[in-house]
């Protein structure tokens, strides 16, 4: 049986603890995760919660946690990072609008899963929403997608925090790079 690190939960031979440096972000980061992403070894939402002290992953199937989110976050104090007909470009969001927020909420799943989760929880569409106009090229190589300009959840989180708060997000990118460096998978599964 494979031995796992008690701290990062990766197999001991691919432990990334030495590459994790915790920091606090200017707002809480809530990642609502699809059930199929939870146990996925290439899951970057878990990395976000290891690096950001005030980040957490909420499983979409956890009714209690989802209900608690609806009671805690609303249009005045939270924003959803999601491309929607009513979303505005994150790159042109005024600083005062960002500083009024208490939380950024991201969806972790494929585009189809994300769409389904947003439609299943209508309160998400009542939040302020931001999308990316000029997102950077992804460096997430170990999982491929047919969606052009797609970012990992970690990269979307980092880009959001950097654009809205000018936060130094290097610790997030270091964690993702460590996971990729240590991950063992066939090269056919990697992005080209």
């Amino acid at each position: 049986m494979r031995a796992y690190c008690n701290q990062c939960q990766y197999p001991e031979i691919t432990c990334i603890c030495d590459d994790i440096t915790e920091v606090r972000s200017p707002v809480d980061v809530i990642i609502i995760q699809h059930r199929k992403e939870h146990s996925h070894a290439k899951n970057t939402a878990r990395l976000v919660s290891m690096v950001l002290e005030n980040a957490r992953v909420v499983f979409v199937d956890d009714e209690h946690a989802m209900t608690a989110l609806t009671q805690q976050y609303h249009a005045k104090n939270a924003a959803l990072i999601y491309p929607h007909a009513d979303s505005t470009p994150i790159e042109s969001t005024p600083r005062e609008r960002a500083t009024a927020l208490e939380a950024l909420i991201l969806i972790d799943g494929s585009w189809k899963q994300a769409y389904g989760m947003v439609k299943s929880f209508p309160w998400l569409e009542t939040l302020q929403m931001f999308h990316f106009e000029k997102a950077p090229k992804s460096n997430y190589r170990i999982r491929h997608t047919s969606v052009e300009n797609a970012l990992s959840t970690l990269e979307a989180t980092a880009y959001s925090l950097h654009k809205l708060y000018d936060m130094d997000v290097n610790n997030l990118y270091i964690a993702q790079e460590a996971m990729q460096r240590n991950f063992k998978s066939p090269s056919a599964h990697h992005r080209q």
Side-chain angles (χ1 to χ4, degrees):
M1 186 160 167
R2 189 185 290 191
Y4 285 82
C5 171
N6 290 329
Q7 193 165 339
C8 72
Q9 302 300 311
Y10 284 102
E12 286 182 355
I13 62 168
T14 60
C15 171
I16 61 168
C17 288
D18 289 344
D19 295 289
I20 299 293
T21 303
E22 282 189 308
V23 293
R24 187 159 189 81
S25 78
V27 291
D28 292 339
V29 173
I30 312 299
I31 299 171
I32 301 174
Q33 189 174 63
H34 191 272
R35 68 186 69 80
K36 289 185 177 178
E37 290 296 316
H38 172 60
S39 59
H40 206 293
K42 301 173 191 175
N43 167 0
T44 65
R46 183 165 54 136
L47 292 175
V48 173
S49 67
M50 285 193 275
V51 174
L52 298 180
E53 295 172 6
N54 51 332
R56 73 181 195 265
V57 177
V58 174
F59 307 121
V60 74
D61 294 340
D62 185 340
E63 290 180 32
H64 176 73
M66 291 300 293
T67 299
L69 288 180
T70 66
Q71 294 168 351
Q72 185 174 3
Y73 298 114
H74 45 79
K76 290 193 185 325
N77 71 355
L80 177 65
I81 307 300
Y82 182 76
H84 188 278
D86 296 330
S87 63
T88 58
I90 202 165
E91 295 87 353
S92 58
T93 301
R95 186 60 50 111
E96 58 274 6
R97 187 171 171 192
T99 56
L101 296 173
E102 294 175 19
L104 293 180
I105 299 175
L106 294 97
I107 307 292
D108 184 43
S110 69
W111 284 109
K112 184 177 179 181
Q113 292 165 347
Y115 178 81
M117 289 192 297
V118 170
K119 291 303 177 190
S120 295
F121 297 95
W123 71 274
L124 288 169
E125 292 183 282
T126 68
L127 302 175
Q128 300 176 62
M129 289 183 268
F130 302 127
H131 67 269
F132 305 151
E133 273 191 336
K134 301 172 188 167
K137 186 175 183 329
S138 177
N139 287 316
Y140 188 47
R141 302 177 305 277
I142 61 173
R143 196 169 180 188
H144 63 273
T145 179
S146 60
V147 178
E148 188 136 351
N149 300 323
L151 298 178
S152 70
T153 299
L154 180 143
E155 290 169 328
T157 302
Y159 187 68
S160 299
L161 291 170
H162 179 70
K163 283 297 169 189
L164 292 173
Y165 303 100
D166 199 28
M167 179 179 169
D168 178 354
V169 292
N170 200 40
N171 290 355
L172 286 165
Y173 291 124
I174 289 169
Q176 179 173 279
E177 192 54 40
M179 180 188 71
Q180 293 185 117
R181 184 178 61 244
N182 293 344
F183 197 81
K184 311 296 183 217
S185 70
S187 60
H189 292 193
H190 296 201
R191 272 189 187 179
Q192 300 304 316

